[in-house]
Amino acid sequence: MTAESVLSHPDTHELGTDPIPTGPYYQPEYFEAEREAIFKRTWLEIGHVCELPEPNSYIVRDLEVANTTVLITRGKDGEIRAFHNVCTHRATQLVLDRGGQRSSFSCQYHGWNFTPDGRLRSAPDFGNFYTDKSQCGLPKIAVDVCAGLIFINLDPEPEQSLREFLGPMAAKLELLPVAQATTFTEYVYEIDANWKLTFDNFQENYHLRFIHPRSGGNGPTGPDNPFGYPTNIGFSGPHRYQTVWTNPEFTPAEVQGMALMKQLEGAMARQLEFNMDYLVLFPNFFIFGMAIQHFSHVVYPVSATRSRGVVRLYWVGDDANASERFAREYAACTTLDIHSEDREVIEAGQRGISSGALSHIHFQAQEVLLRHLYLQVDAAVSSYEAEVAK
């Protein structure tokens, strides 16, 4: 079985065929440029509206790549807002927990108190300061929502709105179940690998037959496509997408059938009709529009050689019965099992790249999404460096 037998003419999409330098996957100076050029200027997926179900709900997110912590709130007016999680008195981290519901936020250091919409409500002995309350609100962060997904942009004046940034991908996202999701199952992991190297593993199916011979099952593979190669690949600005082939002769294992087929009648038919759309948003987020296991995966950089991944399976409505609960738990465990098979080899790849033994690595036609990510990142870094050099 070759790539040509699935994609009759593997396309470079005019992205070139040159080897890719290894430095951007481990060098601290390149990582520092990525922080400034990309992660402090680009719309980043950071949560879902179902985490803020009511007024005064809030969540907190750590973004080591930007040296900041983000507080996201839903005000009494229902609006979602985002702030740097710092008290405007002495910059002490304001909220120390991860989320919940509060009518105000008080700094543990000197008792400055803020409303969910970021206004300074009160401060002890405020008359002794040389400012007024209107100048002491929490520092705002640009925030917007698409398909229920919350995005922030740390640039004080973003060059694009979220919709402009997403382009045609916005409409694709809004067709997915995530747009109606009311809850999710989450798996967070830390990995000793560069964020791009980690993310790349999930952009190609070239490794399926080697890393997932058991867990891969016969869903994305079959006699007509034994290696599970995608049937369609495309690009939309800095974003990319592919359609993962679905085996029309798929027969679930006994426990799989018991878990999934009863709960999601018609889901497999829909999956066969629409295949499995895999949407990737620059820089670090993808979502798999599977009818049975609808999940997203975002990889946050921590350092040049360390990352944090967040995998979420989205659901609409609560578990109606024990069968649905079992089905959701089974789907989450299956996703975790498959992902666990990837982690060791990703870290082994990082050790090899960080050794400096190779100056370049190679991408084949089935890895064109990886090449696209590298080129988009490198273009942003080069543009930033040229800007700084002026």
Side-chain angles (χ1 to χ4, degrees):
M1 183 67 177
T2 65
E4 286 78 4
S5 60
V6 176
L7 299 174
S8 56
H9 299 287
D11 193 349
T12 64
H13 296 272
E14 300 182 350
L15 297 180
T17 58
D18 292 341
I20 301 299
T22 56
Y25 294 87
Y26 73 96
Q27 292 174 343
E29 58 269 27
Y30 195 92
F31 178 73
E32 291 302 314
E34 288 178 331
R35 288 160 56 108
E36 299 295 334
I38 298 172
F39 290 94
K40 291 185 179 182
R41 300 184 175 195
T42 305
W43 288 98
L44 306 173
E45 194 276 342
I46 202 165
H48 192 277
V49 294
C50 68
E51 298 176 82
L52 303 168
E54 300 173 351
N56 296 336
S57 299
Y58 68 96
I59 54 176
V60 175
R61 294 286 186 269
D62 295 328
L63 284 180
E64 292 91 343
V65 68
N67 292 325
T68 194
T69 300
V70 181
L71 171 65
I72 305 166
T73 68
R74 186 185 289 276
K76 290 183 178 179
D77 57 1
E79 288 293 315
I80 292 177
R81 298 175 175 87
F83 309 95
H84 288 282
N85 183 25
V86 293
C87 176
T88 49
H89 173 215
R90 297 258 291 276
T92 306
Q93 185 172 329
L94 179 63
V95 183
L96 301 180
D97 59 9
R98 309 314 299 166
Q101 191 170 18
R102 295 193 203 176
S103 59
S104 66
F105 303 97
S106 290
C107 180
Q108 61 176 338
Y109 200 179
H110 297 97
W112 280 37
N113 184 271
F114 300 85
T115 64
D117 61 7
R119 292 176 292 111
L120 176 62
R121 172 179 284 164
S122 63
D125 303 326
F126 192 77
N128 291 331
F129 285 89
Y130 309 100
T131 185
D132 58 75
K133 291 181 181 179
S134 65
Q135 302 301 310
C136 297
L138 297 178
K140 296 178 181 179
I141 295 174
V143 62
D144 205 347
V145 174
C146 179
L149 299 167
I150 302 172
F151 295 79
I152 63 165
N153 192 321
L154 295 169
D155 190 334
E157 297 182 359
E159 293 185 358
Q160 295 177 300
S161 68
L162 176 61
R163 290 281 168 167
E164 290 170 337
F165 172 69
L166 293 176
M169 299 293 273
K172 292 178 179 288
L173 287 170
E174 288 171 338
L175 293 175
L176 298 179
V178 69
Q180 288 79 43
T182 59
T183 187
F184 58 86
T185 301
E186 182 178 82
Y187 163 56
V188 180
Y189 66 94
E190 304 274 341
I191 187 168
D192 290 325
N194 179 268
W195 71 275
K196 298 184 300 299
L197 190 73
T198 303
F199 199 74
D200 279 349
N201 178 80
F202 306 100
Q203 294 196 98
E204 51 90 355
N205 286 358
Y206 186 35
H207 72 283
L208 288 186
R209 62 190 185 273
F210 307 109
I211 305 301
H212 308 296
R214 178 188 63 82
S215 62
N218 60 351
T221 63
D224 295 331
N225 191 350
F227 302 151
Y229 289 153
T231 58
N232 180 48
I233 288 174
F235 304 93
S236 178
H239 317 298
R240 63 205 76 94
Y241 56 88
Q242 63 179 335
T243 300
V244 178
W245 183 82
T246 302
N247 181 7
E249 305 299 326
F250 173 72
T251 53
E254 183 177 0
V255 67
Q256 188 177 23
M258 185 172 65
L260 300 179
M261 295 302 113
K262 184 175 180 180
Q263 181 215 359
L264 298 173
E265 291 182 12
M268 181 55 65
R270 294 196 305 274
Q271 188 159 300
L272 291 174
E273 179 182 355
F274 299 110
N275 286 313
M276 295 192 287
D277 292 326
Y278 173 101
L279 307 180
V280 190
L281 304 183
F282 182 80
N284 61 338
F285 172 87
F286 77 78
I287 191 162
F288 213 164
M290 301 173 69
I292 292 179
Q293 288 167 278
H294 180 53
F295 73 94
S296 69
H297 190 165
V298 58
V299 179
Y300 297 106
V302 175
S303 72
T305 57
R306 187 165 179 81
S307 307
R308 176 183 303 111
V310 180
V311 179
R312 286 183 165 186
L313 282 79
Y314 290 100
W315 315 109
V316 179
D318 295 329
D319 304 330
N321 49 53
S323 294
E324 280 200 3
R325 177 62 182 271
F326 175 64
R328 292 183 179 186
E329 292 291 339
Y330 180 88
C333 289
T334 299
T335 302
L336 172 59
D337 285 349
I338 295 173
H339 177 261
S340 296
E341 295 172 344
D342 290 302
R343 293 189 58 182
E344 183 177 352
V345 72
I346 295 171
E347 292 186 329
Q350 185 65 59
R351 291 193 295 271
I353 282 181
S354 296
S355 73
L358 298 179
S359 62
H360 290 78
I361 54 178
H362 302 274
F363 292 150
Q364 58 120 309
Q366 294 295 338
E367 296 169 302
V368 68
L369 271 66
L370 285 64
R371 184 180 295 276
H372 184 258
L373 174 61
Y374 166 76
L375 292 175
Q376 291 295 318
V377 168
D378 200 57
V381 167
S382 297
S383 177
Y384 168 75
E385 291 176 339
E387 177 185 322
V388 171
K390 288 181 179 180

